[in-house]
Amino acid sequence: MSKILFVMTGADHWTLADGTKHPTGFWAEEAVAPYEAFTAAGHEVVVATPGGVVPTVDRGSLAPEVNGGQEGADRIERVLASSAEFQRPIRLEDVRLDDFAAVFYPGGHGPMEDLAVDADSGRLLTVALESGKPLGVVCHAPAALLAARKEDGSNAFAGYRLTGFTNAEETQAGFAGKAKWLLQDRLVEAGADFRESEPWAPHVVVDRNLVTGQNPASSAPLAAELLKKLG
């Protein structure tokens, strides 16, 4: 059995351009679908957050309309409530990459608030990328890549093919005009080779050991790719 590290946001809000705080956290499906895939394959999941705070689920991600109905929403909520890993995270600052076979970052708007500027997460991502270990990042979680810097100051992910939540999706979600910045724009500015697909359709991009997913629907396919890399 291998250990897989889930690095999750510790934020419970996202500060918009006008200074208002939009309640958020992590997106349920993006944590639950990979969690179920990894544990079903016999792996152990360990959750880490900045400061070891218990991660907050975005209540919008528990709505029936984004979970295929009330039954699906109830099931997702049950998994989160019954999985101790999400209730007892370790401190991101204390993580040793050597203890883990792979690293995964679920999204939600939370990472736009904290992981995008978190130096500990940035260092971990840089080392994970260089290690060759499978590294999965989905939806808004690629915001964390913005904090990954090499010694020369350049972004560690510059030149990598990757994807994430697109400007088109943020526009359709109603936040593009309210956000301080857009994820796709920032990743392109950082030098990433951003690969965009149809809004809301599953889309996974693999480049070397990096596996990225565009949106919530991409979380299960991304988990399958990571499991393939783990052999």
Side-chain angles (χ1 to χ4, degrees):
M1 179 194 291
S2 299
K3 285 185 180 180
I4 299 178
L5 178 70
F6 275 39
V7 179
M8 300 180 67
T9 178
D12 61 5
H13 68 275
W14 176 34
T15 306
L16 302 178
D18 66 358
T20 60
K21 294 183 177 181
H22 172 69
T24 188
F26 69 90
W27 197 260
E29 180 184 3
E30 295 168 24
V32 170
Y35 173 82
E36 291 187 314
F38 297 149
T39 54
H43 300 290
E44 179 184 346
V45 168
V46 176
V47 172
T49 62
V53 303
V54 175
T56 299
V57 64
D58 187 314
R59 300 307 299 179
S61 69
L62 298 175
E65 54 268 29
V66 296
N67 289 292
Q70 189 63 52
E71 189 176 330
D74 290 345
R75 192 190 74 78
I76 289 266
E77 194 156 13
R78 278 198 306 273
V79 173
L80 288 173
S82 63
S83 304
E85 297 91 337
F86 296 109
Q87 319 305 324
R88 295 200 296 270
I90 64 173
R91 285 163 35 96
L92 177 57
E93 303 88 314
D94 298 336
V95 165
R96 292 177 65 255
L97 183 63
D98 289 349
D99 296 338
F100 301 96
V103 179
F104 172 66
Y105 277 63
H109 277 117
M112 301 276 283
E113 184 75 19
D114 62 352
L115 297 181
V117 293
D118 189 288
D120 292 303
S121 172
R123 281 190 292 272
L124 176 67
L125 283 164
T126 303
V127 174
L129 191 66
E130 293 170 350
S131 75
K133 292 181 179 184
L135 171 61
V137 195
V138 69
C139 200
H140 284 94
L145 309 187
L146 300 173
R149 296 280 175 186
K150 294 182 181 177
E151 287 184 12
D152 64 6
S154 65
N155 190 279
F157 292 84
Y160 274 78
R161 294 187 308 278
L162 53 79
T163 190
F165 205 66
T166 64
N167 290 355
E169 287 167 324
E170 203 71 88
T171 299
Q172 291 179 21
F175 286 107
K178 302 175 183 177
K180 289 181 180 178
W181 49 271
L182 297 177
L183 178 60
Q184 180 176 348
D185 291 346
R186 282 287 178 90
L187 290 170
V188 170
E189 288 168 11
D193 180 2
F194 192 93
R195 303 296 179 95
E196 178 179 1
S197 189
E198 292 298 312
W200 313 111
H203 178 55
V204 174
V205 175
V206 181
D207 188 351
R208 288 156 276 186
N209 59 317
L210 177 66
V211 184
T212 50
Q214 180 171 313
N215 46 36
S218 307
S219 55
L222 185 153
E225 286 292 336
L226 277 188
L227 285 172
K228 276 197 265 183
K229 286 186 171 294
L230 282 169

